Amino acid sequence: MIRKTIFAVALSALLFIQCNTNTDFVIAKDQVGKLLKSNTIDDIETVFASDSIVRDTVNTRIGAAVKKINIYEKGGKHLLTLTPNMDSIQKFEIIRIYDPRYVTEKGVGLNSTFKDIKDKHSIKKIITALNNVVVFLKDSDAYFTIAKTELPSNLQYGNNTNIEAVQIPDKAKIKYMMVGWE
C-alpha cells in the first residue's frame, strides 16, 4: 500500500515537472521562447515555422525595412510583436509579449502583479511617463509597464513625479510586458 502511494506521488511529480518545463514560453537571458537575441529577421520563418507570421504591410516595396512583425499561434492567438532594429543585418530590438504563457525564468508574466516582480526580481529603475510607470529589471531584459490608474490617486497625475517601488501597490497589475535587446 505504501509503495503504491509513493509510486503514485512520484509519477504525479514527474508529470507535473514535464508539463511545466515548456521552454517555448520562457524569457531568459538573450531569449524569448524560441527566439534568440542572435536571430536575424531572415531567421523568423524557421524560428516560428509552426506559427503565423504577419509582417507590417505599410512597407511593401522590395528592400524596404520591416517595421513590425506579429507572431500568432495557429488558430489566431497573438503571441508576440517583434520590432527589428534598423541595422544592415536586422535583428530584433523590442519584443512585446501578448501571451500570458510567456514568463521570466522566475515565473513573472502578464498575469503577475507588482508584488511578483519585486519578490522575484531585482528592480533596476522605475521611469515615470504620462500615463504609466515602466519597471526595468537588473537581472533580465524584460521590463513591465504599469498604468498609473493602478497607483494611489495622488500619484496618477503629472509626469514630473518620480515614483519609487515602495509607492506602487503590491496588487498593481501589469499592463504591458516587453523585452529590449540593444
Side-chain angles (χ1 to χ4, degrees):
M1 180 70 166
I2 293 174
R3 285 186 184 187
K4 287 182 181 178
T5 305
I6 291 172
F7 178 74
V9 169
L11 183 61
S12 297
L14 182 61
L15 289 172
F16 178 77
I17 289 168
Q18 286 179 340
C19 291
N20 288 310
T21 56
N22 187 351
T23 57
D24 286 353
F25 297 102
V26 173
I27 298 170
K29 177 80 172 135
D30 299 336
Q31 177 182 349
V32 175
K34 299 180 272 187
L35 184 69
L36 303 175
K37 186 176 182 178
S38 60
N39 289 130
T40 65
I41 198 167
D42 295 331
D43 301 331
I44 215 65
E45 299 290 335
T46 305
V47 173
F48 295 103
S50 62
D51 298 308
S52 296
I53 301 164
V54 180
R55 297 175 190 267
D56 189 356
T57 57
V58 174
N59 294 323
T60 55
R61 296 184 321 250
I62 295 175
V66 173
K67 290 190 178 180
K68 290 187 180 183
I69 300 170
N70 292 308
I71 308 297
Y72 294 88
E73 232 176 13
K74 296 288 184 202
K77 186 171 177 112
H78 194 176
L79 300 173
L80 306 166
T81 295
L82 312 172
T83 305
N85 60 23
M86 300 310 283
D87 294 344
S88 57
I89 298 175
Q90 285 189 306
K91 293 187 177 184
F92 299 99
E93 192 169 54
I94 299 171
I95 297 115
R96 180 167 172 197
I97 311 298
Y98 283 91
D99 191 317
R101 291 177 290 178
Y102 282 95
V103 293
T104 66
E105 289 178 298
K106 297 181 180 180
V108 179
L110 284 170
N111 290 334
S112 301
T113 63
F114 182 68
K115 180 176 181 6
D116 298 323
I117 295 170
K118 70 180 185 177
D119 286 352
K120 296 179 181 180
H121 290 280
S122 296
I123 295 173
K124 181 177 182 179
K125 65 181 173 181
I126 297 174
I127 296 178
T128 307
L130 185 61
N131 296 315
N132 303 303
V133 292
V134 183
V135 180
F136 291 90
L137 308 176
K138 286 182 183 176
D139 56 352
S140 177
D141 295 327
Y143 57 97
F144 303 92
T145 301
I146 296 172
K148 279 191 175 177
T149 55
E150 296 285 329
L151 305 178
S153 59
N154 63 323
L155 298 174
Q156 291 182 16
Y157 306 102
N159 59 355
N160 296 330
T161 307
N162 287 329
I163 296 173
E164 297 179 22
V166 295
Q167 296 173 295
I168 301 173
D170 284 349
K171 64 180 181 183
K173 296 175 188 167
I174 294 169
K175 181 177 180 181
Y176 303 123
M177 182 178 183
M178 315 272 282
V179 173
W181 290 332
E182 296 178 14

